[in-house]
Amino acid sequence: MAARPFWKGYLKLSLVTCPVAMTPATSESEKVRFHTLNRRTGNRIVSHYIDAVSKKPVDEHDQVKGYPRGEDEYVLLEDEELDAVALESTRTIDIDMFVPADSIGWIWYDTPHYLTPDDPVGEEAFAVIRDAMRSTEMVGMSRLVLYRRERAVMLEPRDEGIVLWTLRYGDEVRNPRDYFATIGSQKAEPKLTTLVKSLIDERTRRWEPTMVSDPVQDRLLEIIAAKKKGRKRPARAKAAQPDAPTNVINIMDALRRSLSAESKVAKRR
């Protein structure tokens, strides 16, 4: 069953406006979650904010945001001051520019959301914006307050809807040159590249969501199910120990052995 929208507002492009609804494209509701309990009483443990010096609990109305400006010294900011710098409208996605769809690297993508029309009357306007972006291979850029924070967002046509991605800010993405510049510029030998391409071909599969299943969660669910029925927890399966890595002197021989092994596996399939 489709999740309910958590946000409703308007999608706007110049004078074209339509009501829209937004739903997170991902969910963590199926993840195994635990509460922290008091082992002696079985009661849940609750957390409180306490003063770091006096160790006494702090009432909610005495809690205030602070920006560090020195050791144990802070600039205090009231809620009213924080609200004053937010966008004037938190309910309108006003597309103010477009960029080529392939010009934004994946590293800037943060959290995806599904954007859908929220009124049959507005579906035509929604479809016009969606199809125009698709035909021009462009994505829309805007800003929006989500999760109590102003965010840059990107709108990308997907199937019959639009995916709205929150984007990371410029200072959140580290410059890759700081890490890759020291790597040598040595080019691989063409013969070696050909062998690796063959290895890639042997291991190429069509993408399926099962490729990113969570075996740890499956194991946890088995343990929980056994405990519910009063049985002992399942014995832990012994994982096969991989061979200790060795220094590969001849890359060509190693690749040929890898391809030979891959071919045998493929034949058994």
Side-chain angles (χ1 to χ4, degrees), residues 84-104:
V85 299
L87 288 177
E88 292 183 4
S89 174
T90 61
R91 292 293 166 187
T92 300
I93 305 168
D94 191 352
I95 305 177
D96 55 8
M97 72 178 74
F98 294 89
V99 300
D102 60 359
S103 65
I104 304 178

Side-chain angles (χ1 to χ4, degrees), residues 37-111:
L37 308 178
N38 183 334
R39 185 189 296 276
R40 294 182 180 180
T41 65
N43 299 328
R44 285 182 58 183
I45 296 173
V46 297
S47 59
H48 296 285
Y49 284 104
I50 63 171
D51 188 292
V53 177
S54 69
K55 307 302 181 185
K56 294 181 179 179
V58 180
D59 292 335
E60 185 174 354
H61 67 270
D62 287 328
Q63 298 171 19
V64 64
K65 299 289 190 298
Y67 181 84
R69 65 178 180 184
E71 187 175 357
D72 296 329
E73 190 176 2
Y74 301 88
V75 176
L76 302 185
L77 295 171
E78 301 295 338
D79 289 342
E80 296 79 8
E81 294 173 301
L82 295 173
D83 292 339
V85 299
L87 288 177
E88 292 183 4
S89 174
T90 61
R91 292 293 166 187
T92 300
I93 305 168
D94 191 352
I95 305 177
D96 55 8
M97 72 178 74
F98 294 89
V99 300
D102 60 359
S103 65
I104 304 178
W106 63 266
I107 201 167
W108 296 96
Y109 290 27
D110 187 13
T111 306

Side-chain angles (χ1 to χ4, degrees), residues 10-37:
Y10 296 90
L11 176 62
K12 183 174 183 288
L13 174 59
S14 188
L15 299 178
V16 179
T17 304
C18 62
V20 290
M22 193 189 316
T23 308
T26 59
S27 171
E28 296 188 351
S29 61
E30 299 301 319
K31 281 191 175 182
V32 175
R33 299 185 183 280
F34 299 100
H35 295 294
T36 302
L37 308 178

Side-chain angles (χ1 to χ4, degrees), residues 27-234:
S27 171
E28 296 188 351
S29 61
E30 299 301 319
K31 281 191 175 182
V32 175
R33 299 185 183 280
F34 299 100
H35 295 294
T36 302
L37 308 178
N38 183 334
R39 185 189 296 276
R40 294 182 180 180
T41 65
N43 299 328
R44 285 182 58 183
I45 296 173
V46 297
S47 59
H48 296 285
Y49 284 104
I50 63 171
D51 188 292
V53 177
S54 69
K55 307 302 181 185
K56 294 181 179 179
V58 180
D59 292 335
E60 185 174 354
H61 67 270
D62 287 328
Q63 298 171 19
V64 64
K65 299 289 190 298
Y67 181 84
R69 65 178 180 184
E71 187 175 357
D72 296 329
E73 190 176 2
Y74 301 88
V75 176
L76 302 185
L77 295 171
E78 301 295 338
D79 289 342
E80 296 79 8
E81 294 173 301
L82 295 173
D83 292 339
V85 299
L87 288 177
E88 292 183 4
S89 174
T90 61
R91 292 293 166 187
T92 300
I93 305 168
D94 191 352
I95 305 177
D96 55 8
M97 72 178 74
F98 294 89
V99 300
D102 60 359
S103 65
I104 304 178
W106 63 266
I107 201 167
W108 296 96
Y109 290 27
D110 187 13
T111 306
H113 305 76
Y114 292 145
L115 198 66
T116 56
D118 194 39
D119 187 332
V121 177
E123 280 194 23
E124 183 178 10
F126 181 92
V128 167
I129 296 173
R130 177 201 63 206
D131 293 348
M133 287 194 295
R134 178 179 287 131
S135 64
T136 57
E137 298 184 350
M138 294 286 177
V139 292
M141 304 296 295
S142 185
R143 305 187 79 83
L144 186 66
V145 173
L146 282 177
Y147 311 112
R148 302 190 67 181
R149 180 183 175 190
E150 181 184 328
R151 299 171 185 271
V153 299
M154 180 195 80
L155 292 91
E156 171 190 31
R158 178 76 59 89
D159 298 330
E160 300 306 310
I162 292 175
V163 175
L164 181 146
W165 284 89
T166 57
L167 300 177
R168 295 185 172 94
Y169 285 105
D171 57 0
E172 292 179 330
V173 177
R174 291 174 174 151
N175 190 334
R177 288 192 293 272
D178 295 340
Y179 303 89
F180 301 152
T182 57
I183 299 176
S185 58
Q186 178 182 354
K187 300 295 183 182
E189 293 183 18
K191 289 183 179 180
L192 295 178
T193 302
T194 299
L195 287 175
V196 172
K197 285 181 178 179
S198 299
L199 193 58
I200 290 173
D201 289 340
E202 290 285 351
R203 295 192 174 200
T204 297
R205 305 286 182 272
R206 182 181 294 276
W207 159 256
E208 295 180 1
T210 54
M211 293 178 178
V212 288
S213 60
D214 187 349
V216 174
Q217 171 146 309
D218 293 340
R219 183 67 179 162
L220 282 172
L221 290 172
E222 288 179 14
I223 294 173
I224 292 169
K227 283 181 169 286
K228 282 182 177 179
K229 296 179 180 179
R231 299 198 306 261
K232 293 182 179 179
R233 66 183 184 185

